[in-house]
Amino acid sequence: MEKIIKSIYENYLHSVGIGKVADYIPPLANVPPDKYAISVCTIEGEKYNIGNYTEKFSIQSISKVLTLSMLAPMVGKEIWECVGKEPSGSPFNSLVQLEYEKGIPRNPFINAGALVITDKLLQLVPDFNEKLLEYVRSLAGSEDIHYNKEVSDSEYTTGERNKALAHLMKSFGNFKGKVSQVFRSYCNQCSIEMSTMQLAQTFLFLANKGINPLNGEQVVSYRDSKRINALMLTCGFYDESGDFAYRVGMPGKSGVGGGIVAVIPGKLSIAVWSPELNGHGNSCRGIATLADFTTELGISVF
Ligand code: GLN
């Protein structure tokens, strides 16, 4: 495994200039495009890291899996009346589809879907913003995980489209809280900073039947871990989810900070960071790395 990861890393080390770093807020636009890191954690406890793997980056939409996982044990199947579980085939911040579908987002991993999940969490969990950090820290096995205030503030002040999504859902009755409060919490989630090393560890419970391997805690039931993985496979990369499944063959989730995390149930989790994005908002080099990883190791879910 170590040799293969190293050879993939060396192969792509100079692949810069193939995409575009997210530029909708200054703190993301200023991230050097050549950052590159790969981290793997196996459920047996092996760890492999290469590149800028201790450096933290904005996890952005990867947080959508963590909020869904946090909510899952608190709700029953009625949650699926408020948010769907089908691929969207649309960009992550599309308003058009939401209007057509009467304020019910296609899935929890597009922005509208994640806003609904956050709305529910704020109703159910006192001190939710604090509790989310505690939740992520326990999965990561690290206290050193925080919101980045500069990122959160920039997201908040520039996020007119996201606010529009929330208001549209409110007009259809699919949103209970105050838009400003829910959106602030959403911006905090996006601003969480982690290294690939922390991120791979955090997602290992989804490769381990919902159990945090660090403390044996059942984070989500096996049934929910199976379902969350299915949603990552079908919806984790927005309108590029089919292509990701085709090329990589792992359930995973991307963020516009250039991170991707993916799992092979029963085996491992892998996190890659490379900030240059393609037109769908997914890391170009991250996808290429993962495609080679599954092919060369012969371990995709297919
Ligand atoms: N903060 C970004 C947004 O809300 C997150 C999008 C993403 O990572 N795809 O638009």
Side-chain angles (χ1 to χ4, degrees):
M1 166 105 64
E2 196 163 8
K3 260 171 75 184
I4 291 179
I5 295 169
K6 188 162 179 278
S7 94
I8 297 172
Y9 175 82
E10 282 166 359
N11 187 32
Y12 288 115
L13 186 57
H14 302 293
S15 303
V16 182
I18 50 174
K20 207 164 148 280
V21 175
D23 58 4
Y24 67 98
I25 51 170
L28 289 185
N30 294 333
V31 175
D34 59 345
K35 295 290 179 190
Y36 187 31
I38 308 172
S39 295
V40 176
C41 295
T42 70
I43 57 175
E44 265 87 45
E46 295 143 329
K47 295 183 196 314
Y48 306 95
N49 298 288
I50 195 160
N52 308 109
Y53 61 88
T54 57
E55 253 181 78
K56 293 190 182 180
F57 59 95
S58 202
I59 69 165
Q60 292 291 327
S61 284
I62 293 171
S63 62
K64 294 174 167 70
V65 183
L66 299 171
T67 48
L68 176 65
S69 302
M70 191 171 172
L71 182 67
M74 299 177 213
V75 291
K77 59 179 186 304
E78 71 281 356
I79 183 69
W80 302 115
E81 287 158 23
C82 307
V83 56
K85 36 184 152 56
E86 294 297 337
S88 67
S90 301
F92 57 79
N93 53 9
S94 170
L95 277 154
V96 179
Q97 195 167 45
L98 198 57
E99 166 76 0
Y100 274 126
E101 298 183 356
K102 303 200 166 22
I104 311 292
R106 270 289 171 102
N107 66 66
F109 298 154
I110 51 174
N111 292 6
L115 284 161
V116 166
I117 300 294
T118 302
D119 183 36
K120 301 264 177 265
L121 282 164
L122 279 164
Q123 287 163 49
L124 291 168
V125 183
D127 302 323
F128 166 63
N129 291 302
E130 212 25 64
K131 287 285 177 317
L132 178 66
L133 279 185
E134 280 171 26
Y135 180 80
V136 180
R137 285 171 183 157
S138 117
L139 290 172
S142 164
E143 287 302 301
D144 185 24
I145 291 172
H146 309 274
Y147 298 128
N148 178 318
K149 184 153 175 15
E150 190 197 353
V151 173
S152 179
D153 287 351
S154 298
E155 299 272 356
Y156 191 82
T157 47
T158 60
E160 300 310 336
R161 179 172 275 270
N162 282 328
K163 287 181 214 159
L165 291 169
H167 282 293
L168 188 57
M169 290 191 286
K170 207 167 172 63
S171 78
F172 281 109
N174 192 26
F175 199 93
K176 301 282 173 280
K178 267 181 81 174
V179 169
S180 57
Q181 190 196 3
V182 176
F183 185 52
R184 170 51 86 173
S185 179
Y186 170 90
C187 293
N188 286 343
Q189 291 154 33
C190 290
S191 82
I192 293 176
E193 292 188 320
M194 289 170 104
S195 63
T196 54
M197 210 165 71
Q198 291 171 325
L199 198 53
Q201 182 67 52
T202 299
F203 272 69
L204 201 50
F205 75 102
L206 288 172
N208 193 37
K209 300 190 170 173
I211 299 165
N212 179 349
L214 294 175
N215 57 14
E217 194 187 316
Q218 190 84 47
V219 183
V220 293
S221 64
Y222 168 66
R223 189 181 66 171
D224 282 341
S225 77
K226 182 185 76 174
R227 292 173 166 181
I228 293 166
N229 284 333
L231 287 169
M232 288 204 290
L233 186 82
T234 52
C235 312
F237 298 82
Y238 321 110
D239 45 345
E240 198 181 17
S241 298
D243 195 61
F244 186 85
Y246 175 81
R247 289 176 64 190
V248 176
M250 292 172 96
K253 185 73 200 83
S254 63
V256 290
I260 297 181
V261 64
V263 299
I264 303 222
K267 284 203 173 68
L268 57 81
S269 59
I270 175 167
V272 184
W273 175 43
S274 173
E276 288 191 335
L277 309 177
N278 63 24
H280 305 280
N282 299 318
S283 168
C284 305
R285 184 161 55 172
I287 296 175
T289 298
L290 290 166
D292 288 1
F293 178 78
T294 49
T295 302
E296 287 178 30
L297 281 162
I299 53 164
S300 104
V301 297
F302 300 110

